[in-house]
Every structure is written in C-alpha cells, then in structure tokens.
C-alpha cells in the first residue's frame, strides 16, 4: 500500500487495546477503545477511519529481514547462523525450542489479523462509500489478509481453530478445538477461489495510493503456495500426483494473468518500490536499517555502521554456481579453491559479503584479525567468514555513508511462481514434456541472473538439457535456494521436503581465511556450528504453553 499509509500504522495502534494474554485466548476478544461507530461512520462517504482500520491489518504481514530479535529466520536453516552465539534463533537447531520457550511465535499476530478482518467485514457495510465498487474491493482485501494469516498459522502448527466470520465476544464459548489440517487447507483454498475474480485487479494499482494492496494476483499466489506445500512430502507422504497437478495449475493461473514478469535486474526486486516482479511485499518506510543491522561490523562511522547479525554458511556459499552455470564441483566449471569468490553466479555477490568484496568503498576484511572479524574482543561478529548482502542497496558499494533507501520484503514474487510451477509440473508426471516445462522456468531465472547460454553440447545455462525427474528435482531445489536466499523460503522448504532431518543434523561450516605476508589469502573450511533436528516433532512448531493452558480443547502438537 501507499508508504504514507504504512507510516501511520503505528499511530493507528491507539485504536486497539492490547489483549490480556493471561486470561483468554487471543482469538476471543480484542476490544476497541473508541465507539465502533467512530471507526465505521455512517456519515463518512470517504471511509477515512474504516480504511485506516483496514490499513492497520497490513502491519501484521510477514515483514522479513531481522524480525526475530536481530536475526533473519533463515539463520535457523542450513543457509545461515546468527552472528551472536546467544541468539534465541538457534533454539531451532540446538534442541532448546519448546512450548515454554517458543521462537517465531506468530500465533498472536495472526489471530489479531483474523479478528480485525472479521471486525472490518462485520461493520463496513454501514459506511456509505461513494466510490463505486470500492466496498467490494475492501472486503476482498480483508478476506485475503485473513487467508494469509491462516496460511501463516497452518505452515507452523498444522490445523488450527477456524473462526469463520464471527467476532467472538466475552459471552461466547471460546474453548475452541483445532480444525484438521485438511479443513484449514480447504478454507484457505476456497477463500482464494472466491476472491480471485472479485478482488482488486492487479492492473489497477498504478497510483501510489493503491500500490501494495492485496489483489487478485495475491489470492492466486497464496493458493499456488499453499497447494505446493500440500503436495510436498511433509503433507503428501503417499505422493498423490493429483496434488502436484493442482499445485502446478495454481501457479500457472498466476502466470496466465499476464500481469507479472521477472524484473530486468535482480536488485530491482528488493530496492524499487514498484516493479513487475513483486506480487505482494511488506513495504517499509525508507531508511537504512537493513544495512546497519547486516553490514560487516568493521564499519563504525556515523551513518555507515554495521552490526553484522547474519552469518551465511559455507553450505549456502557453495550452492552458488560459477558464472558459466556449472557447479563448483564440476571439473569444467573453472572454480579455483585458492580464489573461491571469483567468477561466480552474479547473484552470489548480491547475496553474500565475502572477504575482499567491496562495501562502502573499502574491501571487506573477514580474514582472521581483519576489521570485520577481529576475534575475541568482539562478541557479535561473523562466525563463518561471511555477512549477508541480500536486500542491501547497490549504491552502497561505492558510497561512503548510508542514505535512506527503499526496501521491499517480498512476500510473493513472480520468480517464486516460476519455481513453484517448475517443481509441481516436474513432480506431477515423469515425462519429457513436463521436464521441458520445468527446464524453461529455470532457464528464464538463470538468464535474468546473468548466466549465459552454454556452448558445451548438452548444456544450456549450466543445466543439462536432458535430465531425469530426480535430476530435475535437484536442479529446481538448487535454483530455489540461491534465487530465494534469506526470503524465508529455505526455512520452510527444508521442512516441506522433509530434508531438515538431514541438512540440520551434523555440522554447518564457515571459511577460515588467513592473510599471508605477501597479501594473498589462504582458505580453509571449518566447523562453525553443530546442529540437531528432531524429526519426530520439529516439523511442526509447538503451540505456546500459555495458549494451551488457557484452552482445555486446544491440543498440543505431537512430541511437545
């Protein structure tokens, strides 16, 4: 939505009283301080207060970046670790997460979204909006935001209580049981189907006032993602091919809108407010806090500092191919272990700050004793030899100070739709036609990344032109990892693919870098963090004990 609307969200919070968590489940009551007739005014033909109430719901969308303490969610995957040894994000990978000590507990925020959407839907009809068709669009917005909230709950907890349209009050029975996963899935999919034609069309968002609202495209993108998750091994243990076919069609429906396309430049997606690739983003006020939170710690000047909270792993670094599209393990790739960061996939330098990379007009120093890895004198510093570069503005490579910049955290973007389609169509049937469809999506992404068409027979953009279904599966997962790094995709992907028990049991690695007397560097991989993942219970979050204790019918997830 309009950035000006986003900026007043905090001020609008005075309309809402915080819920008293010690007494009742959040989905029951959240009273409004002012008379409901003030917000939903029968004389307000412009709907000023009602639209402000709806705008406030957007503040509960996933906002990415360093949202869990100071850490990105993917610091609990195999792509990164926290630069702070005491960070609670590591509870996900050291066995300390529990119902008493939950991390990323979004139960409250998502039920706030659901409740506020229901309040809006129950009261908006009294507002005499004078703009034709606007009320239909606003109702659809509230319902899509509510559906997103349910998806955020489902992917964490499985089945949760479905409230419907009811605004529960203090006299209602609020000891609600959990609906099944299948019932929750159907609810979200049915909402997406109902709203895909009545929500605001995406081609009406040219004005700043409306840009960023949820739309028909968002409804379709949400359906594509939730059906992909439903078709994945976690929720589809018998590999029902019909689920994969449904997921493929849902992604294709977004593509067939012919509204979205890959942005011409990768960085445009994250640093430009309006672009062709974003379907929905959390639009933050212009600032430079992404830079100050994630840039290397050796930058300390005013308006040019860095806290370096995220340490990408060697596993993620090694996932980036060479610029010719070949994996670094391929003898024909040209990879040189003595010069490991030269000639890589162009997305590498836009995702990872590595030793000797340029930032704020100097070389990054992540060698032992360097400015950005000084050693025991600093508690929070890279633990792997790398810092996160993703989302940070390209202009700061050569600038000497930070300036306010646009940062869009992508909730849905077109690149993901292509990857969703590639994965689902490849899994839906083992045949050459489907693999060609999947191949074409990967080719488009790698072309946009700057990986050229290959000249070696049998290869194009570094991909074999003939692959088995299993080889294509791995190629898609690989592409998804590098394209979507730090966008809160990998954390969920390794769960829905049921590979977390493999990639998060063992050791994650970093790179020890020694600066030699002649100015060259020596590189030695090392063990950065031992991790563990209990497959018997950790594929779903625990529901916070405080919620279970308040509701005798709210059953805890297995193992917690």
């Amino acid at each position: 939505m309009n950035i000006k609307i986003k900026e007043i969200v905090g001020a609008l919070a005075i309309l809402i009283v915080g819920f008293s968590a010690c007494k009742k489940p959040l989905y029951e009551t959240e009273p409004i301080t002012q008379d409901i007739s003030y917000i939903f005014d029968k004389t307000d033909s412009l709907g000023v207060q009602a639209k402000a109430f709806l705008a406030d719901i957007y503040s509960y969308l996933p906002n990415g970046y360093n949202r869990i303490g100071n850490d990105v969610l993917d610091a609990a995957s195999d792509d990164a670790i926290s630069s702070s040894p005491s960070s609670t994000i590591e509870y996900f990978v050291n066995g300390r997460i529990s119902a008493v000590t939950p991390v990323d507990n979004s139960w409250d925020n998502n039920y706030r979204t659901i409740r506020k959407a229901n309040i809006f839907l129950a009261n908006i009809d009294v507002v005499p909006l004078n703009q034709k068709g606007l009320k239909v669009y606003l109702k659809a917005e509230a319902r899509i935001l509510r559906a997103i909230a349910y998806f955020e709950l489902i992917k964490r907890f499985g089945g949760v209580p479905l409230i419907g349209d009811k605004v529960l009050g203090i006299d209602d029975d609020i000891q609600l049981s959990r609906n099944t996963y299948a019932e929750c899935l159907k609810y979200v999919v049915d909402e997406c189907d109902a709203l895909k034609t009545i929500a605001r069309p995406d081609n009406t968002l040219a004005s700043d006032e409306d840009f960023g609202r949820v739309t028909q495209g968002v409804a379709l993108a949400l359906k594509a993602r939730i059906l992909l998750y439903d078709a994945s091994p976690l929720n589809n243990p018998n590999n029902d091919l019909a689920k994969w076919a449904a997921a493929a069609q849902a992604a294709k429906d977004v593509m067939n809108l012919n509204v979205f396309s890959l942005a011409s430049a990768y960085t445009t997606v994250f640093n430009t407010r309006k672009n062709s690739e974003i379907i929905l983003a959390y639009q933050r006020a212009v600032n430079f806090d992404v830079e100050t939170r994630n840039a290397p710690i050796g930058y300390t000047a005013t308006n040019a500092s860095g806290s370096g909270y995220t340490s990408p792993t060697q596993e993620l670094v090694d996932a980036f191919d060479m610029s010719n599209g070949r994996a670094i393990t391929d003898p024909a790739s040209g990879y040189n272990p003595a010069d490991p960061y030269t000639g890589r996939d162009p997305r590498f330098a836009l995702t990872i700050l590595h030793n000797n990379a340029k930032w704020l007009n100097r070389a990054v120093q992540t060698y032992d004793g360097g400015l950005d890895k000084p050693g025991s004198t600093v508690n929070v510093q890279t633990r792997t030899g790398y810092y996160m570069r993703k989302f940070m503005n390209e202009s700061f490579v050569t600038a000497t100070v930070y300036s306010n910049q646009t940062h869009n955290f992508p909730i849905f973007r077109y690149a993901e739709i292509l990857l969703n389609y590639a994965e689902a169509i490849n899994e839906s049937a083992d045949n050459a036609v489907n693999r060609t469809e999947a191949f074409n999506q990967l080719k488009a992404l790698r072309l946009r990344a700057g990986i050229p068409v290959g000249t070696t027979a049998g290869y194009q953009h570094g991909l074999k032109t003939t692959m088995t279904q299993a080889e294509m599966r791995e190629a898609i997962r690989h592409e998804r990892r590098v394209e979507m790094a730090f966008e809160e995709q990998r954390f969920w992907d390794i769960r829905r693919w049921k590979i977390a028990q493999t990639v998060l049991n063992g050791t994650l690695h970093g790179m020890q870098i020694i600066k030699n007397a002649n100015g060259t560097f020596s590189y030695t991989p090392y063990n950065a963090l031992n991790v563990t993942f209990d497959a018997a219970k950790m594929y779903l979050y625990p529901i916070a004990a405080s919620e279970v204790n308040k509701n005798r019918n709210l059953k805890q997830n297995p193992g917690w």
Side-chain angles (χ1 to χ4, degrees), residues 368-407:
D368 286 3
L371 291 173
D372 304 308
K373 193 183 179 186
S376 60
T377 59
V378 178
N379 185 44
V380 178
Q381 61 184 296
T382 179
R383 296 163 70 191
T384 61
Y386 306 103
Y387 290 99
M388 187 180 81
R389 163 74 170 81
K390 187 82 171 271
F391 311 120
M392 294 158 68
N393 196 280
E394 186 71 10
S395 65
F396 298 136
V397 172
T398 55
T400 55
V401 295
Y402 296 131
S403 57
N404 286 338
Q405 300 290 336
T406 294
H407 297 95

Coordinates of all heavy atoms in Angstrom, one line a residue, residues 368-407:
D368 N 41.0 -13.6 9.5 CA 41.3 -13.6 11.0 C 42.1 -12.4 11.3 O 43.2 -12.1 10.8 CB 42.1 -14.9 11.4 CG 41.2 -16.1 11.4 OD1 40.0 -16.0 11.0 OD2 41.7 -17.2 11.8
G369 N 41.5 -11.6 12.3 CA 42.2 -10.4 12.7 C 41.8 -9.2 11.8 O 42.3 -8.1 12.1
G370 N 41.0 -9.4 10.8 CA 40.6 -8.2 9.9 C 39.6 -7.4 10.6 O 39.1 -7.7 11.7
L371 N 39.3 -6.2 10.0 CA 38.4 -5.3 10.7 C 37.0 -5.9 10.9 O 36.4 -5.5 11.9 CB 38.3 -4.0 9.8 CG 39.5 -3.1 9.6 CD1 39.2 -2.0 8.6 CD2 39.8 -2.5 11.0
D372 N 36.6 -6.8 10.0 CA 35.3 -7.3 10.1 C 35.2 -8.7 10.8 O 34.2 -9.3 10.9 CB 34.7 -7.4 8.7 CG 34.7 -6.1 8.1 OD1 34.2 -5.1 8.7 OD2 35.2 -5.9 6.9
K373 N 36.4 -9.2 11.3 CA 36.5 -10.4 12.1 C 37.7 -10.3 13.0 O 38.7 -11.0 12.9 CB 36.6 -11.7 11.2 CG 36.4 -13.0 12.0 CD 36.6 -14.2 11.1 CE 36.4 -15.5 11.9 NZ 36.7 -16.7 11.1
P374 N 37.5 -9.4 14.0 CA 38.7 -9.0 14.8 C 39.1 -10.1 15.8 O 40.2 -10.1 16.4 CB 38.2 -7.7 15.5 CG 36.7 -7.8 15.5 CD 36.4 -8.5 14.3
G375 N 38.1 -11.0 16.2 CA 38.4 -12.1 17.1 C 37.7 -11.9 18.4 O 36.7 -11.3 18.5
S376 N 38.4 -12.3 19.5 CA 37.7 -12.5 20.8 C 37.4 -11.2 21.4 O 36.6 -11.1 22.4 CB 38.7 -13.2 21.8 OG 39.9 -12.6 21.9
T377 N 37.8 -10.0 20.9 CA 37.5 -8.7 21.5 C 36.1 -8.3 21.2 O 35.5 -7.4 21.9 CB 38.4 -7.7 21.0 OG1 38.3 -7.6 19.6 CG2 39.9 -8.0 21.4
V378 N 35.4 -9.0 20.3 CA 34.0 -8.6 19.9 C 33.1 -9.8 20.0 O 33.5 -10.9 19.5 CB 34.0 -8.0 18.5 CG1 32.6 -7.7 18.1 CG2 34.9 -6.8 18.4
N379 N 32.0 -9.7 20.7 CA 31.1 -10.8 20.8 C 30.3 -11.2 19.6 O 30.2 -12.3 19.2 CB 30.1 -10.6 22.0 CG 29.3 -11.8 22.3 OD1 29.8 -12.9 22.4 ND2 28.0 -11.6 22.6
V380 N 29.7 -10.1 18.9 CA 28.9 -10.4 17.7 C 29.7 -10.0 16.5 O 30.0 -8.8 16.3 CB 27.6 -9.5 17.8 CG1 26.8 -9.8 16.5 CG2 26.8 -9.9 19.0
Q381 N 30.1 -11.0 15.8 CA 30.8 -10.8 14.5 C 30.6 -12.1 13.7 O 30.0 -13.1 14.2 CB 32.3 -10.7 14.8 CG 33.0 -11.9 15.5 CD 34.4 -11.6 15.8 OE1 35.2 -11.4 14.9 NE2 34.7 -11.5 17.1
T382 N 31.0 -12.1 12.4 CA 30.8 -13.3 11.6 C 31.4 -14.5 12.3 O 32.5 -14.5 12.8 CB 31.4 -13.1 10.2 OG1 31.1 -14.3 9.5 CG2 32.8 -12.8 10.2
R383 N 30.6 -15.6 12.2 CA 31.0 -16.9 12.7 C 31.4 -17.8 11.6 O 31.8 -19.0 11.8 CB 29.9 -17.5 13.6 CG 29.7 -16.7 14.9 CD 28.4 -17.0 15.5 NE 28.4 -18.4 16.2 CZ 27.3 -19.0 16.6 NH1 26.1 -18.4 16.5 NH2 27.4 -20.2 17.2
T384 N 31.3 -17.3 10.4 CA 31.5 -18.2 9.2 C 32.5 -17.6 8.2 O 32.9 -18.3 7.3 CB 30.2 -18.4 8.5 OG1 29.6 -17.2 8.0 CG2 29.2 -19.2 9.4
G385 N 32.8 -16.3 8.4 CA 33.7 -15.6 7.4 C 32.8 -14.9 6.3 O 33.4 -14.3 5.4
Y386 N 31.5 -14.8 6.6 CA 30.6 -14.1 5.6 C 29.6 -13.3 6.3 O 29.2 -13.5 7.5 CB 29.9 -15.2 4.7 CG 30.8 -16.1 4.0 CD1 31.0 -17.4 4.5 CD2 31.5 -15.8 2.9 CE1 31.8 -18.3 3.9 CE2 32.4 -16.6 2.3 CZ 32.5 -17.9 2.8 OH 33.3 -18.8 2.1
Y387 N 29.1 -12.3 5.6 CA 27.9 -11.5 6.1 C 26.9 -11.5 5.0 O 27.2 -11.7 3.8 CB 28.4 -10.0 6.4 CG 29.2 -9.9 7.6 CD1 30.6 -9.8 7.5 CD2 28.6 -9.9 8.9 CE1 31.4 -9.6 8.6 CE2 29.4 -9.7 10.0 CZ 30.8 -9.6 9.9 OH 31.6 -9.5 11.0
M388 N 25.6 -11.2 5.4 CA 24.5 -11.1 4.4 C 24.6 -9.8 3.6 O 24.7 -8.8 4.2 CB 23.2 -11.3 5.1 CG 22.0 -11.4 4.2 SD 20.4 -11.5 5.0 CE 20.1 -9.8 5.4
R389 N 24.4 -10.0 2.3 CA 24.4 -8.8 1.4 C 23.0 -8.6 0.8 O 22.7 -7.5 0.4 CB 25.4 -9.0 0.3 CG 25.3 -8.2 -0.9 CD 25.8 -6.7 -0.7 NE 25.8 -6.0 -1.9 CZ 24.8 -5.5 -2.6 NH1 23.6 -5.6 -2.1 NH2 24.9 -4.8 -3.7
K390 N 22.2 -9.6 0.8 CA 20.9 -9.6 0.2 C 20.1 -8.4 0.7 O 20.1 -8.1 1.9 CB 20.1 -10.9 0.4 CG 18.8 -11.1 -0.3 CD 19.0 -11.6 -1.7 CE 17.7 -12.0 -2.4 NZ 17.4 -13.4 -2.1
F391 N 19.3 -7.7 -0.1 CA 18.4 -6.7 0.2 C 19.1 -5.3 0.4 O 18.4 -4.3 0.4 CB 17.6 -6.9 1.5 CG 16.9 -8.3 1.6 CD1 17.3 -9.2 2.6 CD2 16.0 -8.7 0.6 CE1 16.7 -10.4 2.7 CE2 15.4 -9.9 0.7 CZ 15.7 -10.8 1.7
M392 N 20.4 -5.3 0.5 CA 21.1 -4.0 0.7 C 21.3 -3.3 -0.6 O 21.6 -3.9 -1.6 CB 22.4 -4.3 1.5 CG 22.1 -4.8 2.9 SD 23.4 -5.8 3.7 CE 24.6 -4.5 3.9
N393 N 21.2 -2.0 -0.5 CA 21.2 -1.2 -1.8 C 22.5 -1.2 -2.5 O 23.6 -1.1 -1.9 CB 20.7 0.2 -1.5 CG 20.3 1.0 -2.7 OD1 21.2 1.4 -3.5 ND2 19.0 1.1 -3.0
E394 N 22.5 -1.3 -3.8 CA 23.7 -1.4 -4.6 C 24.5 -0.2 -4.6 O 25.8 -0.2 -4.7 CB 23.3 -1.7 -6.1 CG 24.4 -2.0 -7.0 CD 25.1 -3.4 -6.8 OE1 24.5 -4.2 -6.0 OE2 26.1 -3.6 -7.4
S395 N 23.9 1.0 -4.3 CA 24.6 2.2 -4.3 C 25.7 2.3 -3.2 O 26.6 3.1 -3.2 CB 23.7 3.4 -4.2 OG 23.0 3.4 -2.9
F396 N 25.5 1.4 -2.2 CA 26.4 1.5 -1.0 C 27.7 0.7 -1.2 O 28.6 0.7 -0.4 CB 25.7 0.9 0.2 CG 24.5 1.8 0.6 CD1 23.3 1.1 1.0 CD2 24.5 3.1 0.6 CE1 22.2 1.9 1.4 CE2 23.4 3.9 1.0 CZ 22.3 3.2 1.3
V397 N 27.9 0.2 -2.4 CA 29.2 -0.5 -2.7 C 30.3 0.6 -2.8 O 31.4 0.5 -2.3 CB 29.1 -1.3 -4.0 CG1 30.5 -1.7 -4.5 CG2 28.2 -2.4 -3.9
T398 N 29.9 1.7 -3.4 CA 30.9 2.8 -3.6 C 30.7 4.0 -2.8 O 31.5 4.9 -2.7 CB 30.9 3.2 -5.1 OG1 29.6 3.6 -5.5 CG2 31.4 2.1 -6.0
A399 N 29.5 4.1 -2.2 CA 29.3 5.3 -1.3 C 30.1 5.2 0.0 O 30.8 4.1 0.2 CB 27.8 5.3 -0.9
T400 N 30.2 6.2 0.7 CA 30.9 6.2 2.0 C 30.0 6.3 3.2 O 30.5 6.1 4.3 CB 31.9 7.4 2.0 OG1 31.2 8.6 1.8 CG2 33.0 7.2 0.9
V401 N 28.8 6.7 3.0 CA 27.8 6.7 4.1 C 26.5 6.2 3.6 O 26.2 6.1 2.4 CB 27.6 8.1 4.7 CG1 28.8 8.6 5.4 CG2 27.1 9.1 3.6
Y402 N 25.6 5.8 4.5 CA 24.3 5.3 4.1 C 23.3 6.5 3.9 O 23.5 7.6 4.5 CB 23.7 4.4 5.1 CG 24.5 3.1 5.3 CD1 24.8 2.7 6.6 CD2 24.8 2.4 4.2 CE1 25.5 1.5 6.7 CE2 25.6 1.2 4.4 CZ 25.9 0.8 5.6 OH 26.6 -0.4 5.8
S403 N 22.3 6.3 3.1 CA 21.2 7.3 2.9 C 19.9 6.5 2.8 O 19.9 5.3 2.6 CB 21.4 8.0 1.6 OG 21.5 7.2 0.5
N404 N 18.8 7.1 3.1 CA 17.5 6.5 3.1 C 17.2 5.8 1.7 O 17.4 6.4 0.7 CB 16.4 7.4 3.5 CG 16.4 7.8 4.9 OD1 17.0 7.1 5.7 ND2 15.9 9.0 5.3
Q405 N 16.8 4.5 1.8 CA 16.5 3.8 0.6 C 15.3 3.0 0.8 O 14.8 2.7 1.9 CB 17.7 2.8 0.3 CG 19.0 3.5 0.0 CD 19.1 4.3 -1.2 OE1 18.3 4.0 -2.2 NE2 20.0 5.3 -1.3
T406 N 14.7 2.6 -0.4 CA 13.5 1.7 -0.3 C 13.9 0.2 -0.1 O 14.9 -0.2 -0.7 CB 12.8 1.8 -1.7 OG1 12.3 3.1 -1.9 CG2 11.7 0.7 -1.8
H407 N 13.2 -0.4 0.8 CA 13.4 -1.9 1.0 C 12.1 -2.6 0.9 O 11.2 -2.3 1.8 CB 14.1 -2.1 2.3 CG 15.5 -1.6 2.5 ND1 15.7 -0.3 3.0 CD2 16.7 -2.0 2.1 CE1 17.0 -0.1 3.0 NE2 17.6 -1.1 2.4

